[in-house]
Each structure stands twice: as structure tokens, then as C-alpha cells.
Amino acid sequence: MPGLASLLERAASGGRLSFDEGVRLYAEADLHELGAAAHARRVAMYSPEIVTYVVDTTINYTNVCNVHCTFCAFFRPEQHKEGYTMSHDKVLERVKYAVDQGATQIMIQGGVNPELGISWFEELFDRVRREYPQADIHSLSVSEIVGLAHVEGISTRDVLARLKDAGMKSLPGAGAEILVERVRKRISARKVKPHEWLGVMREAQLLGMPTTATMMFGSIETPAERIEHLHVLRELQDETGGFTAFIPWYYVPFKTPLRGKESTGLEYLRVLAVSRLYLDNFPHLQASWLTPGLKMGQLALFYGCDDMGGTIIEEQVVHDAGSTNEATRRDIENVIIGAGFRPVVRDTYWNLRNDLALATAS
């Protein structure tokens, strides 16, 4: 059996880890040595000088949801007096506000609302595309795609194809949580199964939509189940090459039915470092500053991350669970600069947008 130093050296140079080796590194490796290996891998993959971010917003168009996840404080069940669904005009107002601040990526995401058919989204996306062509629609989630397929009685592939025709450019990785059946039965029993989440992602990627992958960790899963999650993502990426980035973030328990404890910053850094080393075929690893805050996001840049995520001009789901972190473009750029890197704005496809001025330039 190879020693930990040998495993770290192999992973830092791009060598593939087996499942058992991933579990062992997670459990036994020194955090700083793990971080050093992940940073070495990140530096080998990208310019050591720059860190990217995207100017974006998340518009939570409805909180009505028939999935009822126990880790979520945002949703309201059908017919609940606090349930809401924005009008198209209201969503467009939010899009305008974001675009006026330089947003190039719009995430429209909410609950699985059985009152909304696919034409509601087709009309909305078409308006966003026509009125704000400078912004890419990176929207919905696998759960919402599956919900629309049930409402319409059509396949998820047909839902994706119609939404793509209406202007949706990219599918976010939301709703993955932990892709292990035992965990999902406990925290989101009515949500799509792991193989269904992977299947919809495969369909989107084969239709030419780039997608991201996420992991919400820190609820009830074991460390080995975190590696299992990474493993099934890596297998699909081997098959399609369709994921642009991996974005792990930790569960915020304060106002949810599931409750529990918040993960520590050290646990967050360990997950990032192991993810960078295990997901040898993923182009980018994103620091999810929204839950751990900007200072932890800054540290993440030395544990394998090459991207600071987005400005997330407005967001309600994580906020309702008890997170209070916010940041302006200038805040994000100052964090990157403070860590010794040069901030560069990117778009949804990770193209560097050197034509867009930095907020800190003025």
C-alpha cells in the first residue's frame, strides 16, 4: 500500500486516485499537506497569477415546491399562504437590475411548482434573451426539469431541448446534494434519485449545454459517501466531458426542519482539496463564499480553487436557511487581490472577459 506522501505526490501531478485512496486521503492526510497538493495541481492547470469570477444574479422566482426537502428553509408547500410566484414582468425587473450592474449570467431558479408548465418558462426565457442578449441564461435545476417533464407528460430530454430553443444556455448543478441513495432517502426522499440527476445532466450535456456540478455536504453523510459523490461525477465526466466546474458548499442548518450542526472551516477546506485531487477531469473548482464567507473563500484559493464564483446579486434559498453573507464586485476583487492573485471577470463558459472593467479599477 503506497504511503500518504506518495498518494499526494501522484494526485498533485494529475494521477488518478482510486475510491479507496480518496477515502484514505480524506480521513488521514494532514490538512495543510492536502492543501499544498491541491494548490500544486491547480497551479499546474491554470495561470498561477489569476483568479476568475462572474458577475451574476440568482432570481428565486417561486418558493412553492412539491419536493419538501428537510434541509431547505426556503420552500413552501402547495397552497401555503406564504407561497409566491413572480410574474414575468417582476423577473424581468430583477434581470434589468442585474444587467445594469454588469451581470452576464442570470440564474432563474426556484421550487418545483406544479402550477407552472413549460410554456411559462419558454415565454420568460425568450423575453430575457430578446431584451437582454448580453446575459446568458444559466438557470433551473435537474429537479425543476424533472418536475416540468411530469407536468407536461414529456421526456426530460424534450424539456431541455425546448428550453434550449427558448434561450436557456446552461444548466446549473443545483439539487445534487449527495448522490447516494441512503442520504437522499433521509434528507430529500421525494427528490430525483442519484441516477436520475446524472441522467438529466447527461442529456443536457449531449444537447450541447454546459453544466456545473455541486455537492451540499455536512448534513448526514459520511466522509466515504462524499467520495462516492465525487466518484459518480468523475465517471460521468469521463463519459461526456460536459461539466465546466465543481462547486462544493456546506449545509446551513439554522432554520431548517433537519437542523444539525454547521460544518467547520477546516472541514470545508478539506473537502475542497480532496475534490481538486479526486476530480482530475474537472476543469474548474469554485470557492463557494456564500456559505463560509469571503475570508474562507479567500483561503479556498490555496486549497485547489481557481474561481471565486459569482456576485450573486440577490439570492434567497441559502439566506433563508440562516446565511447572512453578501459581497459586491469590489469586495470579491479585493479578496482575490489580497490573496496575491489578479482578478479577471469571466462568462458562463469560462471565457476571460478582459473587455469588462474591474470594479477596483476606478
Side-chain angles (χ1 to χ4, degrees), residues 105 136-137 169-170 210 244 284 346-351:
Q105 177 174 291
D136 290 320
I137 304 173
K169 299 284 186 64
S170 169
T244 55
H284 302 283
R346 66 164 174 86
D347 63 18
T348 303
Y349 315 100
W350 258 265
N351 297 310

Side-chain angles (χ1 to χ4, degrees), residues 209-267:
M209 284 185 181
T211 75
T212 55
T214 62
M215 174 168 73
M216 185 198 77
F217 64 93
S219 60
I220 64 160
E221 80 284 353
T222 66
E225 286 168 334
R226 295 175 185 175
I227 303 300
E228 189 174 341
H229 179 92
L230 300 181
H231 191 76
V232 296
L233 293 177
R234 191 174 74 179
E235 285 186 325
L236 181 56
Q237 183 74 337
D238 276 346
E239 178 187 332
T240 64
F243 288 116
T244 55
F246 180 61
I247 310 153
W249 56 283
Y250 63 70
Y251 165 59
V252 179
F254 306 119
K255 299 179 182 178
T256 69
L258 182 63
R259 306 294 285 183
K261 293 182 179 178
E262 189 178 36
S263 294
T264 66
L266 297 181
E267 193 172 11

Side-chain angles (χ1 to χ4, degrees), residues 55 57 59 87-108 123-139 166-169 348-349 353:
V55 185
T57 192
I59 301 169
S87 66
H88 285 182
D89 287 341
K90 177 61 82 175
V91 175
L92 265 290
E93 280 180 23
R94 305 295 179 89
V95 174
K96 181 181 187 308
Y97 175 75
V99 169
D100 286 347
Q101 296 183 67
T104 63
Q105 177 174 291
I106 304 298
M107 183 184 287
I108 298 170
E123 292 165 14
L124 175 62
F125 290 170
D126 184 57
R127 283 191 62 185
V128 173
R129 172 175 59 178
R130 285 188 289 105
E131 297 179 32
Y132 302 98
Q134 65 273 55
D136 290 320
I137 304 173
H138 171 67
S139 292
M168 193 170 108
K169 299 284 186 64
T348 303
Y349 315 100
R353 295 294 302 270

Side-chain angles (χ1 to χ4, degrees), residues 130-322:
R130 285 188 289 105
E131 297 179 32
Y132 302 98
Q134 65 273 55
D136 290 320
I137 304 173
H138 171 67
S139 292
L140 301 185
S141 65
V142 167
S143 293
E144 288 159 282
I145 299 298
V146 171
L148 280 172
H150 287 160
V151 167
E152 298 290 345
I154 60 178
S155 70
T156 50
R157 186 191 180 285
D158 287 344
V159 170
L160 288 165
R162 286 177 61 174
L163 294 176
K164 183 184 178 189
D165 288 343
M168 193 170 108
K169 299 284 186 64
S170 169
L171 180 64
E177 280 77 64
I178 296 290
L179 294 169
V180 173
E181 190 60 31
R182 183 195 76 83
V183 178
R184 296 181 83 82
K185 282 182 178 176
R186 174 79 183 282
I187 69 173
S188 54
R190 300 174 69 173
K191 212 163 195 172
V192 296
K193 308 290 185 192
H195 73 275
E196 292 175 307
W197 189 95
L198 293 164
V200 172
M201 279 288 159
R202 180 185 291 108
E203 289 172 339
Q205 292 163 357
L206 294 178
L207 284 169
M209 284 185 181
T211 75
T212 55
T214 62
M215 174 168 73
M216 185 198 77
F217 64 93
S219 60
I220 64 160
E221 80 284 353
T222 66
E225 286 168 334
R226 295 175 185 175
I227 303 300
E228 189 174 341
H229 179 92
L230 300 181
H231 191 76
V232 296
L233 293 177
R234 191 174 74 179
E235 285 186 325
L236 181 56
Q237 183 74 337
D238 276 346
E239 178 187 332
T240 64
F243 288 116
T244 55
F246 180 61
I247 310 153
W249 56 283
Y250 63 70
Y251 165 59
V252 179
F254 306 119
K255 299 179 182 178
T256 69
L258 182 63
R259 306 294 285 183
K261 293 182 179 178
E262 189 178 36
S263 294
T264 66
L266 297 181
E267 193 172 11
Y268 170 65
L269 296 175
R270 180 172 292 275
V271 168
L272 290 178
V274 168
S275 299
R276 179 63 284 168
L277 297 174
Y278 198 85
L279 296 176
D280 57 352
N281 53 3
F282 268 63
H284 302 283
L285 181 65
Q286 192 176 106
S288 50
W289 60 265
L290 185 63
T291 45
L294 277 176
K295 280 298 181 186
M296 285 304 300
Q298 188 178 47
L299 266 178
L301 301 179
F302 298 95
Y303 285 77
C305 293
D306 60 287
D307 184 86
M308 275 297 287
T311 51
I312 317 175
I313 293 170
E314 60 173 294
E315 196 279 343
Q316 207 57 44
V317 178
V318 176
H319 179 271
D320 283 1

Side-chain angles (χ1 to χ4, degrees), residues 63-66 68 73-78 80 82-84 320:
N63 66 348
V64 178
C65 186
N66 63 9
H68 305 176
F74 170 71
F75 86 89
R76 295 294 181 271
E78 307 92 309
H80 194 283
E82 296 175 357
Y84 75 83
D320 283 1

